[in-house]
Amino acid sequence: QVQLVESGGGLVQAGGSLRLSCAASGRTFSSYAMGWFRQAPGKEREFVATITRSGGSTTYADSMKGRFTISRDNAKNTVFLQMDSLKPEDTAVYYCAAGRWGIGPNLYDYWGQGTQVTVSS
């Protein structure tokens, strides 16, 4: 079992930055690929980024490339999402997830409760 708790969300102006964190419980954090997803009101959950167990490889959704950076610290059981050049359309609840490598939500077995990110224009 892995429990995930996100933090770092909030209200930011367009063009600004936020850094999300996701703290995992348990001693098996490094056994999981980690992903970030988001869900805006009235929309389906959307893939944002994922990182391999070692942190050696990352993948991003096209609209996030060059603006978002995913990283992890296995010693601290934490995964991060640095978000720069934020746009109003980035407004959503952001979730971290632990599971297998890939972009589909069905690959991830454990989910956090989400953190709200609101970008004002």
Side-chain angles (χ1 to χ4, degrees):
Q1 283 281 358
V2 176
Q3 291 185 325
L4 304 172
V5 179
E6 301 97 335
S7 61
L11 174 64
V12 64
Q13 289 188 331
S17 298
L18 282 175
R19 189 190 196 207
L20 305 184
S21 299
C22 174
S25 65
R27 294 177 289 179
T28 59
F29 177 73
S30 60
S31 299
Y32 297 96
M34 297 297 297
W36 285 96
F37 293 78
R38 70 185 186 185
Q39 189 165 18
K43 295 188 177 181
E44 293 186 353
R45 191 163 295 191
E46 175 186 25
F47 168 75
V48 173
T50 185
I51 188 166
T52 54
R53 292 176 295 175
S54 67
S57 293
T58 57
T59 297
Y60 299 90
D62 287 344
S63 61
M64 288 76 164
K65 287 179 181 177
R67 300 190 301 123
F68 291 9
T69 304
I70 188 172
S71 61
R72 67 189 296 164
D73 185 338
N74 284 346
K76 296 183 178 180
N77 285 8
T78 304
V79 62
F80 305 97
L81 184 68
Q82 177 67 40
M83 305 186 295
D84 300 317
S85 301
L86 283 162
K87 305 174 182 180
E89 51 263 43
D90 293 319
T91 295
V93 177
Y94 283 71
Y95 299 89
C96 71
R100 293 167 286 167
W101 170 258
I103 66 173
N106 60 305
L107 295 172
Y108 295 84
D109 301 311
Y110 303 101
W111 293 81
Q113 82 290 349
T115 186
Q116 176 71 47
V117 171
T118 303
V119 184
S120 64
S121 58

